[in-house]
Amino acid sequence: MTTTVGAPTTFDLGPAKALSCRECGHEIPLAPEFACAECFGPLEVKYSFGDIRREDIEAGPKNIWRYRDLLPVPSDVDNYPNTEPGLTRLVKADRLAAALGVKSLWVKDDTGNPTHSFKDRVVAVALAAARQLGFRVLACPSTGNLANATAAAAARAGWESVVLIPSSLEKAKILTTAVYDGALIAVEGNYDDVNRLATELAAEHEDWAFVNVNVRPYYAEGSKTLAYEIAEQLGWRLPQQVVVPIASGAQLTKVDKGFRELGTLGLVEETPYRVFGAQATGCSPVSAAYKAGRDVVQPVRPDTIARSLAIGAPADGPYVLDVVNRTNGAIEDVSDEEVVEGIRLLARTEGIFTETAGGVTVATAKKLIETGKLDPEAETVLLITGDGLKTLDAIESKVGPRATVPPSADAVHKALGF
Ligand SMILES: *Cc1c(COP(=O)(O)O)cnc(C)c1O
Ligand SMILES: [Zn+2]
């Protein structure tokens, strides 16, 4: 047997040096693989980081590529056409803090990404890795936001795309994917059906990079950039608490990985932080496992307006439980009514209009505060991961004009109660 340790890899993915199994630790060279050949466990990117300095990051591009030396991408990644996501606002949310009764609150506003959700981050990293690995078609199964991000990224790179969505998806998410003119296929089934179909197609079409299936180990690393940005925007330190929405759970586990790496590399002080997870009750398999004290996540059939989080069989569920338990966080879930209230609360206190996933995060934070699980004295960051314009249906019956009047000042005054 020859050893791969220290041997040159064929693929230039910057600091990424190997893939290793999250279950048994088996290591393989960088490749378009996602499952361990020994135990079928999920593979994860392993790195050998160089000397990384804050000044170099600060002098980098004003998007996620400022962290390229921490990602599985080549060092010239920003020379290729891409959507340049990231470096979204970290908003000091004083009015929301007052409404929730907490001392110090921030909102990481990822509605500001090119296709208006955090998925642009993971797709950009998947595309960059897929290019190095020799793929030329970008594909995905999606609950909507990933469809937008994949179709847009492929268009900008000049790649073909194949995007599979459940046919019941919100109209806005269908149109905002179809406009990029890739191959958009609506499948009669829920997301878990679409996901199974993608796994089958990925095995058949070796030149299709399904961002969240066969290049998933690389894709998932893109979520680390949320952690890097939060720390940098706080002045190179970690927050004490962070609330993260859970679909597959990848984002939550990678935010934790990002915080840990920053500490290990000496870019921030290794201060303790707690990671909290947020789900909609209509699709809350991870929350249910957490509350029952189980370490296995039982699949559910999703039924919630928070479609972008509606993954009934979350791939990273068990790892989410690990992170939450290790950091002394918690997981909570909220009803669809609470989700809509969360959307409206964020809008009226901070002027930020989020989609249903953001409503889940805000409403869950509220519930965690009310039940004493989230410390109101500790500095907290809420991850607002997508734009409200994509899920207008959720608020359609709740908000509208206060009055419809003829064009006269009198009528306006009357409507305002003067
Ligand atoms: C996909 C998605 C998430 C969660 O992503 P996972 O990594 O699958 O847990 C959160 N918010 C929005 C808006 C999303 O589209
Ligand atoms: Zn294994």
Side-chain angles (χ1 to χ4, degrees):
M1 268 296 284
T2 55
T3 169
T4 57
V5 177
T9 47
T10 335
F11 303 113
D12 173 15
L13 291 173
K17 291 298 175 237
L19 293 178
S20 93
C21 175
R22 269 157 116 176
E23 289 300 320
C24 76
H26 179 66
E27 256 188 41
I28 62 165
L30 294 172
E33 302 282 348
F34 62 104
C36 175
E38 303 285 315
C39 77
F40 302 111
L43 296 173
E44 184 175 32
V45 176
K46 284 274 138 134
Y47 299 90
S48 158
F49 293 122
D51 187 18
I52 298 170
R53 299 181 316 158
R54 291 176 183 175
E55 307 83 78
D56 295 337
I57 292 172
E58 286 163 357
K62 302 225 176 302
N63 53 55
I64 60 168
W65 304 131
R66 66 206 279 107
Y67 309 107
R68 66 193 161 218
D69 293 339
L70 293 154
L71 295 169
V73 297
S75 57
D76 66 347
V77 61
D78 49 341
N79 292 348
Y80 298 96
N82 72 89
T83 59
E84 300 177 355
L87 217 60
T88 56
R89 319 186 284 169
L90 183 69
V91 179
K92 189 83 177 26
D94 290 339
R95 280 171 44 78
L96 180 60
L100 294 176
V102 302
K103 207 157 139 196
S104 174
L105 189 66
W106 300 86
V107 164
K108 181 62 172 163
D109 179 13
D110 247 15
T111 67
N113 277 311
T115 70
H116 312 285
S117 87
F118 104 98
K119 289 295 197 302
D120 291 311
R121 300 174 180 274
V122 279
V123 168
V125 173
L127 172 67
R131 181 186 282 113
Q132 295 304 111
L133 294 167
F135 291 99
R136 287 297 176 270
V137 177
L138 208 61
C140 70
S142 170
T143 58
N145 286 321
L146 188 59
N148 290 172
T150 299
R156 174 130 180 85
W159 284 32
E160 313 245 315
S161 64
V162 179
V163 170
L164 309 173
I165 53 166
S167 56
S168 66
L169 211 59
E170 296 99 323
K171 194 170 171 203
K173 285 182 179 165
I174 296 178
L175 297 182
T176 51
T177 304
V179 71
Y180 300 108
D181 222 12
L184 173 64
I185 310 288
V187 179
E188 290 157 352
N190 66 21
Y191 176 74
D192 295 290
D193 299 319
V194 177
N195 197 29
R196 263 192 303 278
L197 179 60
T199 307
E200 191 185 324
L201 288 167
E204 265 176 62
H205 300 271
E206 287 193 350
D207 54 336
W208 294 8
F210 277 90
V211 294
N212 53 342
V213 182
N214 53 345
V215 291
R216 186 175 181 83
Y218 308 97
Y219 157 93
E221 295 294 292
S223 286
K224 294 193 303 176
T225 59
L226 278 163
Y228 303 152
E229 287 179 21
I230 290 168
E232 184 182 350
Q233 289 169 322
L234 287 175
W236 293 109
R237 59 186 181 80
L238 302 182
Q240 290 171 290
Q241 307 182 122
V242 57
V243 186
V244 188
I246 301 167
S248 73
Q251 177 179 168
L252 186 146
T253 65
K254 298 301 178 176
V255 165
D256 169 64
K257 188 179 182 183
F259 284 156
R260 274 186 294 139
E261 284 173 350
L262 293 178
T264 308
L265 290 165
L267 290 163
V268 299
E269 201 185 315
E270 288 183 88
T271 52
Y273 58 87
R274 303 168 70 197
V275 181
F276 295 85
Q279 294 207 294
T281 306
C283 182
S284 50
V286 193
S287 176
Y290 173 78
K291 288 176 179 175
R294 283 187 271 113
D295 53 9
V296 236
V297 174
Q298 238 128 42
V300 300
R301 183 168 286 274
D303 179 17
T304 169
I305 57 168
R307 306 256 187 91
S308 55
L309 301 181
I311 297 185
D316 291 272
Y319 306 112
V320 166
L321 295 170
D322 289 347
V323 169
V324 168
N325 289 324
R326 172 168 50 74
T327 64
N328 194 26
I331 306 177
E332 190 50 272
D333 54 88
V334 288
S335 70
D336 283 0
E337 260 147 72
E338 291 172 295
V339 172
V340 173
E341 268 318 297
I343 293 174
R344 297 181 66 188
L345 178 61
L346 181 63
R348 85 172 157 262
T349 54
E350 298 299 338
I352 297 171
F353 181 25
T354 182
E355 69 148 85
T356 46
V360 169
T361 302
V362 172
T364 298
K366 183 165 185 276
K367 198 162 171 181
L368 287 165
I369 293 158
E370 284 164 0
T371 53
K373 288 179 187 137
L374 202 123
D375 178 2
E377 299 295 315
E379 184 172 56
T380 303
V381 177
L382 307 183
L383 296 197
I384 298 304
T385 47
D387 194 319
L389 289 173
K390 297 199 205 190
T391 58
L392 289 174
D393 310 9
I395 53 151
E396 202 173 6
S397 66
K398 304 278 184 182
V399 300
R402 280 206 194 161
T404 304
V405 300
S408 92
D410 248 9
V412 173
H413 288 150
K414 205 178 271 170
L416 293 174
F418 293 173

